Amino acid sequence: MAMYLLYESSSGYGLFEAHGLDEIGQNTEAVRSSVSDLSRFGRVVQLTAFHPFESALDALNQVNAVSEGVMTDELRSFLELNLPKVKEGKKPKFSLGTSEPKLGSHILEATKIPCQSNEFVLELLRGVRLHFDRFIKDLKPGDLEKSQLGLAHSYSRAKVKFNVNRVDNMVIQAIFLLDTLDKDINSFAMRVREWYSWHFPELVKIVNDNYLYARVSKMIDDKSKLTEDHIPMLTEVLGDEDKAKEVVEAGKASMGQDLSALDLINVQTFAQKVMDLADYRKKLYDYLVSKMSDIAPNLAALIGEMVAARLISHAGSLTNLAKCPSSTLQILGAEKALFRALKTRGNTPKYGLIFHSSFIGRASAKNKGRIARYLANKCSIASRIDCFADGATTAFGEKLREQVEERLDFYDKGVAPRKNVDVMKEVIENLQNKDEEGKEAVEASGKKSKKKKAKGEEEEEAVESEKKKKRKMETEEENEKSEKKKKKKSKSAGGDEETDDGLTQSKKKSKKKKSKSEE
């Protein structure tokens, strides 16, 4: 039977035919030893066809499809064009070797081409990868390395660059740090208790909380200086006036030894560090709650932020948790107990991390396993909604929580719970109604804004028309004034002309008289 090899390079798809495999051996070790020799490997494996990628974006899309085990249309047309055609009803006389088993199964389902992916095929593909630049004649030296580098950068960037607000890696790091801080704060607080107890041993029995103990020890400093003036300050810290008075009385009759000023400064400094760590732990918890509302709001609404974050952290990511079946999610965190039970053939564990949820603690002993199975089912639904839904909402998580409450009532009182189908339909209808109301509100606001704009435009038009009227009146008044001025000027000009005519006539008469007298 002939064998073809499909090689996905950074520059395109390559189809190779492997014939005469006896020359390099049928077992994996023989192929591994002969792959490095191109003279032997080149006689067995020959290039049949090569399909280059059109662009860097096309290469990225093809590689993403191959990594997910999906055959693209380009790959299908390439294989159908270059592989031998198989008649209907007959078995093919060749097989196709692929590096990805998922891709091979998809090719088999879509095209009925038999595919195989084993160590023998992988060694042959390793030889193809080693001598690929020798098979492709048009490749220039350095082109293959450049395409590999560019595709590697774009592929890794696309894998890492998801939605920034939904990066579940931040939740994983935050929950690990939160657990570490809890251990460190406990151990440091115990050290503060032991250290300060040499000076004031009675305070341990009065103040039980570690954080309050650190604050009180920081405030008291030297027990010999304790007076009734410290009672208001101690009351603010402890929240109880009786305890504050008890601390003051115990300080007056304390059996502890006196410490030097330097020792008290060290104790105070260490107590302040413990207080700072406790304050940072509160801020980190608030940060974790806010991140969980963005990443997995439904899962957090169902079982709480801490348990949801621990599940995501243990699974590795929200996507991995969504892929887990509910039976796996139920015992997530109890792997040691599970394998020990399988080894000893004992009873398998009923719950893992979800035991920290309040639902299992509220159930009776005989119903703990039932409610754990039911809760794991709802957690699986919530994680898948959070992982694959476009918008973030807590509506599904709240309804799933109501279903778990109803199941608890069913186990205790026998009240029949609602079906999951009806509850999900109700949530979807409510979300659709909210979307429609939001659209109507947006449209109404748009209409109001349009009306306001229209009113504003009308007012502007009215103002402009009034301005135009005023301008017309002013221009008309100016025209009338100018006409009156012109008339006055014309009248004055006429009088001047008459006076000029009289003067000329009188001059003419005087000239005539002078001429007559001369005669």
Side-chain angles (χ1 to χ4, degrees):
M1 180 181 284
M3 176 181 285
Y4 289 87
L5 302 172
L6 176 63
Y7 176 62
E8 309 91 4
S9 70
S10 58
S11 55
Y13 291 118
L15 188 66
F16 296 83
E17 184 181 1
H19 53 82
L21 295 175
D22 296 334
E23 295 185 12
I24 60 174
Q26 285 288 348
N27 57 353
T28 306
E29 293 180 358
V31 173
R32 188 180 294 117
S33 60
S34 61
V35 155
S36 58
D37 188 5
L38 181 61
S39 59
R40 292 181 62 191
F41 189 76
R43 289 196 299 269
V44 177
V45 178
Q46 294 179 355
L47 179 65
T48 303
F50 179 70
H51 176 70
F53 296 136
E54 295 178 357
S55 62
L57 181 61
D58 183 33
L60 179 61
N61 294 331
Q62 297 294 330
V63 169
N64 282 329
V66 169
S67 64
E68 294 173 2
V70 178
M71 180 179 61
T72 59
D73 295 334
E74 292 183 9
L75 179 58
R76 179 169 185 167
S77 60
F78 173 67
L79 293 175
E80 290 178 348
L81 185 65
N82 296 290
L83 287 175
K85 294 182 179 179
V86 181
K87 295 181 180 179
E88 294 182 0
K90 291 188 176 181
K91 292 183 179 180
K93 296 181 180 180
F94 64 91
S95 62
L96 180 66
T98 60
S99 58
E100 294 289 337
K102 291 183 179 179
L103 180 63
S105 61
H106 192 219
I107 292 172
L108 178 62
E109 291 176 2
T111 60
K112 306 300 180 183
I113 296 172
C115 299
Q116 55 179 332
S117 178
N118 48 34
E119 292 184 1
F120 182 70
V121 172
L122 291 177
E123 287 299 324
L124 290 175
L125 287 173
R126 188 172 69 85
V128 171
R129 189 185 305 111
L130 183 64
H131 307 293
F132 184 69
D133 54 345
R134 309 283 182 87
F135 288 109
I136 308 299
K137 296 179 181 179
D138 296 334
L139 277 178
K140 297 178 183 179
D143 287 348
L144 188 62
E145 287 78 7
K146 289 179 182 178
S147 64
Q148 287 174 349
L149 183 63
L151 182 60
H153 282 181
S154 58
Y155 179 76
S156 58
R157 195 180 301 114
K159 285 293 182 185
V160 171
K161 188 178 179 182
F162 291 112
N163 187 356
V164 180
N165 296 322
R166 297 189 64 178
V167 178
D168 47 9
N169 187 35
M170 298 298 105
V171 170
I172 295 171
Q173 299 299 328
I175 194 66
F176 275 134
L177 180 57
L178 206 63
D179 292 339
T180 307
L181 279 177
D182 287 336
K183 293 177 183 177
D184 293 343
I185 289 171
N186 282 332
S187 59
F188 291 161
M190 292 304 297
R191 184 59 53 203
V192 170
R193 284 171 176 270
E194 290 180 6
W195 200 349
Y196 194 70
S197 292
W198 286 99
H199 179 63
F200 194 177
E202 292 82 7
L203 187 63
V204 176
K205 296 179 180 179
I206 301 171
V207 183
N208 296 321
D209 186 71
N210 292 332
Y211 180 70
L212 292 179
Y213 187 90
R215 288 188 64 184
V216 170
S217 62
K218 176 83 167 48
M219 183 182 295
I220 293 173
D221 192 10
D222 190 357
K223 66 177 181 180
S224 61
K225 298 178 182 179
L226 264 179
T227 60
E228 293 182 356
D229 296 335
H230 290 83
I231 291 176
M233 292 187 292
L234 289 171
T235 305
E236 287 183 7
V237 175
L238 297 172
D240 190 358
E241 189 176 356
D242 296 335
K243 276 191 176 182
K245 291 179 180 178
E246 190 178 352
V247 169
V248 173
E249 291 174 0
K252 292 177 181 178
S254 176
M255 298 292 292
Q257 66 179 7
D258 294 333
L259 296 179
S260 64
L262 183 61
D263 294 336
L264 287 173
I265 288 171
N266 282 312
V267 174
Q268 280 188 325
T269 305
F270 190 57
Q272 184 62 45
K273 295 292 183 184
V274 174
M275 290 163 57
D276 294 340
L277 278 176
D279 292 335
Y280 176 67
R281 197 260 181 204
K282 291 178 183 177
K283 293 179 182 178
L284 186 65
Y285 175 75
D286 295 336
Y287 165 75
L288 180 63
V289 171
S290 63
K291 290 298 290 183
M292 286 300 297
S293 63
D294 293 333
I295 296 170
N298 293 296
L299 189 62
L302 176 59
I303 56 172
E305 289 82 5
M306 293 293 291
V307 182
R310 291 184 196 281
L311 286 173
I312 293 172
S313 174
H314 199 83
S317 67
L318 181 61
T319 307
N320 292 343
L321 184 65
K323 291 178 181 178
C324 288
S326 59
S327 58
T328 304
L329 196 148
Q330 181 182 350
I331 58 170
L332 208 62
E335 288 83 3
K336 288 184 179 179
L338 174 66
F339 292 122
R340 184 172 63 249
L342 293 175
K343 188 176 181 180
T344 59
R345 294 183 182 180
N347 294 327
T348 55
K350 297 177 181 178
Y351 27 72
L353 290 170
I354 60 172
F355 176 76
H356 298 289
S357 175
S358 60
F359 296 112
I360 297 176
R362 288 161 54 190
S364 59
K366 65 176 182 180
N367 294 325
K368 285 186 183 295
R370 295 179 182 177
I371 200 66
R373 186 168 60 250
Y374 189 80
L375 182 60
N377 180 17
K378 299 306 174 187
C379 289
S380 180
I381 294 172
S383 62
R384 289 167 189 175
I385 292 171
D386 290 329
C387 182
F388 301 109
D390 296 329
T393 176
T394 58
F396 290 98
E398 291 170 358
K399 290 294 181 182
L400 291 171
R401 188 180 182 87
E402 289 178 6
Q403 282 188 283
V404 180
E405 295 281 357
E406 290 175 1
R407 181 64 60 162
L408 280 172
D409 292 338
F410 172 69
Y411 290 144
D412 294 339
K413 303 174 184 177
V415 180
R418 293 174 293 174
K419 291 184 178 179
N420 187 55
V421 179
D422 300 334
V423 175
M424 293 297 108
K425 284 181 180 178
E426 183 182 350
V427 176
I428 293 169
E429 288 175 359
N430 291 335
L431 291 176
Q432 289 176 352
N433 293 333
K434 285 183 181 179
D435 291 339
E436 291 175 359
E437 289 175 359
K439 289 179 181 178
E440 289 176 357
V442 171
E443 290 176 357
S445 62
K447 288 179 180 179
K448 287 181 181 179
S449 61
K450 286 180 181 178
K451 286 181 180 180
K452 287 181 180 179
K453 286 181 181 178
K455 286 181 180 180
E457 290 175 358
E458 289 177 358
E459 290 176 356
E460 288 177 359
E461 288 177 357
V463 172
E464 288 179 358
S465 62
E466 288 178 359
K467 288 181 179 180
K468 286 180 180 179
K469 287 180 181 179
K470 287 181 180 180
R471 286 175 187 172
K472 284 182 180 180
M473 295 289 287
E474 290 175 357
T475 52
E476 287 176 358
E477 288 177 357
E478 289 176 357
N479 291 331
E480 288 177 359
K481 288 179 180 179
S482 62
E483 286 177 359
K484 287 179 181 180
K485 287 179 181 179
K486 285 179 181 178
K487 285 179 181 180
K488 287 180 181 180
K489 286 181 181 180
S490 62
K491 285 179 182 180
S492 62
D496 293 337
E497 287 175 358
E498 287 176 357
T499 54
D500 292 338
D501 292 339
L503 290 170
T504 52
Q505 287 176 2
S506 64
K507 285 180 181 179
K508 286 178 181 179
K509 286 179 180 181
S510 63
K511 285 180 180 179
K512 284 180 180 180
K513 286 179 180 180
K514 285 180 182 179
S515 62
K516 283 180 180 180
S517 64
E518 287 175 358
E519 287 175 356

